[in-house]
Amino acid sequence: MKKPVVLVVMDGVGYTDNNYGNAVNNAYTPNLDYLEKNSAFTTIKAHGTAVGLPSDEDMGNSEVGHNAIGCGQIYAQGAKLVNESIRTKEIYHSETWTALKAQAKDHTLHFIGLLSDGNVHSHIDQLLDLIRQAKEDQIKQVRVHILLDGRDVPETSALIYVQQLEDALAKLNDANFNALIASGGGRMKVTMDRYEADWGMVELGWKTHVLGEGRGFTSAKDAIETYRIEGQYTDQFLPAFVIHEKGKPVGTIQDGDAVVFFNFRGDRAIEISKAFEQKDFKPFDRKRVPDVFYAGMLQYDGDLQIPKKFLVSPPHITNTLSELLVKHKIPQYALSETQKFGHVTYFWNGNRTEKFDDKLETYIEIKSDLVPFEQRPWMKAADITDALIEALESSKYGFLRVNYPNGDMVGHTGSYPATIVGVETVDLQLGRLLPYIKKHDAILVVTADHGNADEMYEKSKDPNAVPKAKTSHTLSPVPFFVYNANVKFKYGNFGLANIAATVTDLLGLKKDPIWLESIIDKHD
């Protein structure tokens, strides 16, 4: 090993020349400016086919991004994986679907998940195909519990997807088939918590979807329009609602029912899956636990087997960077705060929870604050840097990786001023880190997993229009710096999956033969 390598992932920090609503370009970032002038620098792809998604119109995300960085390869991911299974009908010949059919024959089949075409957590077309197949398989009753997006799609677009779903259900419903929307709420209020940051969201989801407790409305449209008038809510923050008919909920979950969580992305699906499956569940009082057949679209955690039943097998990722470094006996250090801790561990290691070697791998989680990110856009960046500097000073580690979540988590709030602060916070931390990189003669690699903070406003053809917040990821490339190493980059079309080979190149190791090539052309 030549020098220790420190890899910094600035989550959600894309690079684009467009300055409109660009919290990256318009922030004060003297340290990023310094790196551009004093490092080997290029931009690389972090979306679409470069990270295993169906097309280059698909935005990247933190999960597939960290999979690609950590394994040096491109695997079919999320939407692409599910789309292929639906196309071949393999999903409907699976053991899980067969069991779901049998369970729901004389009961209700429930679908819970994110209703949009954002293609990051789910896609409405996949849900519609599942419902159509349910009717074809002579299931008589279906209920849909919708989580509204406004994050990977425009912030007030929920009614478009609700109408699309309602129209499809109206065409399918007849004397032998009855499908209805039963409950819902915004994704950042109901059900879709991750990394156990706020179990209250999951508890509210349980009360809403399972128990039918909460404010009643005659339709999802009625709920959305009412909440928007009352509280000016954007979709992701809409309060929970329950659809009533004749004064009663139309779709509580009962003994004997079958339940599918139809999101394909795992991080925000694990907690609700635990609530359905774990007998010794303790995070909140479930009050009533129906005896149901529960399945996920994918298995969201292979090591912990969550959930136990799933419709589509996730990619089996092997030959990761961590595995190679363990073989070479190189100690590793992984660090972030709660919101992105799973990305530098679970997703980085190919959807694996356990370490490859307890003695060679150190994981450090800094607990995230439970406050809205726009109110505290600096998040835990300073604490993360404190821990990273301490690890560098220890001289124990040959490879250190860290994720600063600010550009992504604050960017998702839609607050442009707060995201400016978030980006400047990360830049400030880089400034703190640089002297220690020099002190320990380490190599610093700085990149991002996808864009977000670089495009905070929806594009409008009207130059006089009031800027409208954009809360989703972007299609922008991401920066790639190598500092304190005399290297030159190759010319080519590189992406996140080229980083693993680049890291081993910097460490003086041979890459795994199945990885994509290193970005480095020359290295002294």
Side-chain angles (χ1 to χ4, degrees), residues 218-264:
T218 58
S219 68
K221 181 182 178 183
D222 179 30
I224 294 165
E225 290 179 339
T226 299
Y227 281 141
R228 283 186 183 163
I229 292 170
E230 291 180 353
Q232 301 296 308
Y233 297 103
T234 56
D235 296 342
Q236 61 178 320
F237 297 111
L238 276 166
F241 57 86
V242 178
I243 306 306
H244 281 202
E245 190 175 88
K246 297 180 180 179
K248 295 182 178 181
V250 300
T252 56
I253 299 176
Q254 302 293 328
D255 288 346
D257 288 351
V259 180
V260 174
F261 200 81
F262 65 84
N263 286 14
F264 46 72

Side-chain angles (χ1 to χ4, degrees), residues 148-430:
L148 306 177
D149 195 343
R151 191 172 170 98
D152 299 319
V153 294
E155 63 176 358
T156 54
S157 57
L159 288 174
I160 296 172
Y161 304 108
V162 167
Q163 191 62 56
Q164 185 179 347
L165 176 58
E166 293 278 24
D167 289 346
L169 298 184
K171 290 179 181 178
L172 290 170
N173 284 340
D174 56 28
N176 297 310
F177 183 77
N178 179 258
L180 299 171
I181 295 174
S183 70
R187 59 179 283 181
M188 294 305 288
K189 293 286 288 186
V190 183
T191 304
M192 282 178 58
D193 182 44
R194 68 175 174 193
Y195 307 147
E196 302 186 8
D198 185 1
W199 274 105
M201 290 172 59
V202 187
E203 181 177 10
L204 180 57
W206 185 267
K207 290 177 178 178
T208 304
H209 313 316
V210 178
L211 306 180
E213 295 179 359
R215 187 172 175 182
F217 294 87
T218 58
S219 68
K221 181 182 178 183
D222 179 30
I224 294 165
E225 290 179 339
T226 299
Y227 281 141
R228 283 186 183 163
I229 292 170
E230 291 180 353
Q232 301 296 308
Y233 297 103
T234 56
D235 296 342
Q236 61 178 320
F237 297 111
L238 276 166
F241 57 86
V242 178
I243 306 306
H244 281 202
E245 190 175 88
K246 297 180 180 179
K248 295 182 178 181
V250 300
T252 56
I253 299 176
Q254 302 293 328
D255 288 346
D257 288 351
V259 180
V260 174
F261 200 81
F262 65 84
N263 286 14
F264 46 72
R265 177 167 146 179
D267 58 342
R268 295 188 183 275
I270 288 175
E271 289 171 52
I272 188 65
S273 297
K274 287 181 178 180
F276 272 104
E277 289 195 329
Q278 292 183 350
K279 292 183 179 179
D280 59 347
F281 183 81
K282 295 178 181 177
F284 60 83
D285 182 4
R286 292 174 291 181
K287 296 184 179 179
R288 177 175 63 83
V289 184
D291 182 11
V292 300
F293 186 100
Y294 180 82
M297 181 68 89
L298 299 175
Q299 186 167 58
Y300 306 124
D301 189 324
D303 284 333
L304 299 180
Q305 296 187 323
I306 300 173
K308 294 180 178 62
K309 304 293 184 180
F310 46 95
L311 294 170
V312 180
S313 297
H316 181 60
I317 298 177
T318 61
N319 300 77
T320 64
L321 174 57
S322 291
E323 289 175 85
L324 187 142
L325 296 183
V326 163
K327 288 177 183 177
H328 286 276
K329 304 299 182 183
I330 294 176
Q332 302 172 60
Y333 182 86
L335 167 70
S336 189
E337 64 176 276
T338 305
Q339 288 294 332
K340 296 292 179 176
F341 176 68
H343 295 79
V344 294
T345 54
Y346 170 77
F347 290 107
W348 178 278
N349 284 333
N351 306 329
R352 176 190 173 94
T353 300
E354 304 302 321
K355 298 173 182 176
F356 294 102
D357 189 310
D358 285 334
K359 294 180 179 179
L360 289 173
E361 295 176 89
T362 299
Y363 293 171
I364 301 296
E365 176 186 359
I366 308 295
K367 289 292 184 182
S368 293
D369 291 322
L370 291 179
V371 296
F373 303 116
E374 71 274 16
Q375 293 181 15
R376 204 169 292 178
W378 43 87
M379 300 181 67
K380 290 294 187 179
D383 298 51
I384 291 172
T385 308
D386 290 344
L388 182 58
I389 290 172
E390 182 180 346
L392 260 176
E393 291 274 72
S394 75
S395 298
K396 292 179 180 177
Y397 306 102
F399 178 61
L400 305 91
R401 59 185 184 265
V402 59
N403 180 300
Y404 289 102
N406 309 62
D408 187 44
M409 301 312 299
V410 186
H412 275 311
T413 69
S415 172
Y416 177 67
T419 307
I420 289 277
V421 175
V423 172
E424 291 179 349
T425 297
V426 175
D427 185 82
L428 179 63
Q429 303 314 308
L430 291 173

